[in-house]
Amino acid sequence: MLGEFTDKKAEERFFAVYDEILRKWPVPAVELDIETRFGPTRVRGCGPADGPPIVLLSGGMGTSLSWYPHIAELAVRHRVYAVDSLGEPGRSIQTAPIESAEDCADWLTEVVEGVLAETGHEKVYLAGVSRGGWLALNLATRSTARIAGVVAIEAAGFGVIGRSFIWWSLREIFRWFLPRWLLRLVASGDPDVRHTVRPLLFAALKYKQQLPEMHLFSDDELAAIDVPTRIVVGERSVIHDARAVAARLASLNPHIEVEVVPKTTHGLSLEKPDLVTARILEAAREPHVDVRE
């Protein structure tokens, strides 16, 4: 089964909002459709053509547009590709079902290969938030042949997502309707960003996803990652126990570094956008690998 909007009207509304937010994209960009066996995947490339490539993967329902607050700084020295994940609302078009974690890895591998063909580099850096972080780690546990490094922000895969996440989500949605002056008092981050992406989030609710469950990573899977990997978690996350994640990974794999960010939740990328941008840039500046052919 394929992901799709509930009806044509819902689809038109979503893309009207999508195009409106796209006007906020702060730097010149080119839209590319990378062919995969699951359907063409839309990526938005920007930054210097010869810069080390970074592939950005959004959280569920976030689309590539969720990266617009970060993109200006990321694209100064890097060629950055923001992805509309297949099987979710966005400009990508799913033509075949994605039924397993292996399918997710195969899809992302083909996206990475398409980016590398565009840039002429050998490897990319992967950076993902929430589900996007899970996608990046899911691929890295299977193959790092084309990956220089990974940054996973509040990634799924380290705890069972249950009622706590639902209640947190409802509280967050309520906050997003607060006026900007009040939102500044009760939530970290730029209230303008929440108000900008809010219409897209609600328009995306009319999309029926058909995606496999994000499985929990085993010790063996995480131990198999052999590239520098930075996992950033919110101290008050509702999808896992941040301290337990850090303790688990401390002796499991020397390639993995875990950072617990105080007083942050699963909305870490909204609450601390400058930190997220900085961590991605730090990882992509590491001198451990030459990503040029």
Side-chain angles (χ1 to χ4, degrees):
M1 298 179 67
L2 308 180
E4 60 182 0
F5 285 94
T6 55
D7 54 54
K8 189 65 175 179
K9 184 178 179 180
E11 181 178 7
E12 290 173 351
R13 170 171 166 70
F14 175 86
F15 285 118
V17 175
Y18 184 105
D19 291 342
E20 183 66 27
I21 298 175
L22 183 55
R23 295 188 179 96
K24 289 183 173 287
W25 200 258
V27 295
V30 59
E31 305 274 340
L32 302 172
D33 288 318
I34 296 176
E35 294 297 330
T36 77
R37 68 183 177 91
F38 303 98
T41 298
R42 176 66 57 90
V43 301
R44 186 171 303 106
C46 47
D50 60 348
I54 301 173
V55 171
L56 302 175
L57 301 161
S58 68
M61 299 291 197
T63 80
S64 58
L65 298 176
S66 64
W67 290 100
Y68 88 85
H70 309 268
I71 205 70
E73 190 171 352
L74 291 176
V76 171
R77 293 187 178 87
H78 294 84
R79 186 64 174 172
V80 183
Y81 293 88
V83 180
D84 276 356
S85 293
L86 206 62
E88 299 193 45
R91 291 292 182 187
S92 298
I93 302 173
Q94 187 177 9
T95 59
I98 299 175
E99 299 177 316
S100 65
E102 184 176 356
D103 284 349
C104 291
D106 289 346
W107 162 75
L108 185 52
T109 295
E110 292 185 63
V111 172
V112 166
E113 293 287 355
V115 165
L116 294 175
E118 169 76 11
T119 64
H121 284 72
E122 284 189 333
K123 297 187 177 185
V124 303
Y125 295 91
L126 295 179
V129 172
S130 191
R131 183 174 187 272
W134 179 87
L135 287 169
L137 292 171
N138 179 59
L139 176 55
T141 62
R142 298 163 188 275
S143 172
T144 56
R146 304 296 252 166
I147 301 174
V150 175
V151 179
I153 310 296
E154 263 300 290
F158 296 98
V160 177
I161 299 176
R163 292 181 181 178
S164 295
F165 174 75
I166 295 172
W167 285 113
W168 173 85
S169 298
L170 292 173
R171 289 195 299 268
E172 279 296 300
I173 290 171
F174 171 77
R175 284 180 172 185
W176 287 27
F177 281 96
L178 296 175
R180 285 174 172 81
W181 69 267
L182 184 54
L183 192 50
R184 287 189 177 93
L185 298 177
V186 301
S188 302
D190 185 351
D192 287 338
V193 173
R194 286 181 168 89
H195 278 228
T196 295
V197 301
R198 184 182 67 197
L200 191 69
L201 171 65
F202 283 94
L205 294 177
K206 294 289 187 177
Y207 187 88
K208 297 185 295 184
Q209 295 186 99
Q210 300 291 342
L211 291 170
E213 182 179 353
M214 295 178 289
H215 74 280
L216 300 182
F217 295 115
S218 69
D219 286 354
D220 287 344
E221 285 178 308
L222 293 168
I225 298 175
D226 59 1
V227 294
T229 298
R230 183 169 298 182
I231 296 175
V232 184
V233 294
E235 181 184 36
R236 299 172 181 171
S237 176
V238 292
I239 67 168
H240 46 235
D241 182 325
R243 298 295 177 186
V245 171
R248 175 190 177 195
L249 295 176
S251 60
L252 187 61
N253 187 334
H255 294 292
I256 298 177
E257 175 185 350
V258 182
E259 177 181 3
V260 179
V261 184
K263 300 179 181 180
T264 57
T265 71
H266 186 59
L268 195 157
S269 60
L270 288 170
E271 296 161 2
K272 298 288 184 181
D274 291 343
L275 181 144
V276 169
T277 302
R279 295 298 179 266
I280 295 171
L281 288 174
E282 288 165 8
R285 290 192 191 110
E286 293 287 344
H288 48 261
V289 62
D290 180 4
V291 296
R292 293 293 299 182
E293 289 184 337

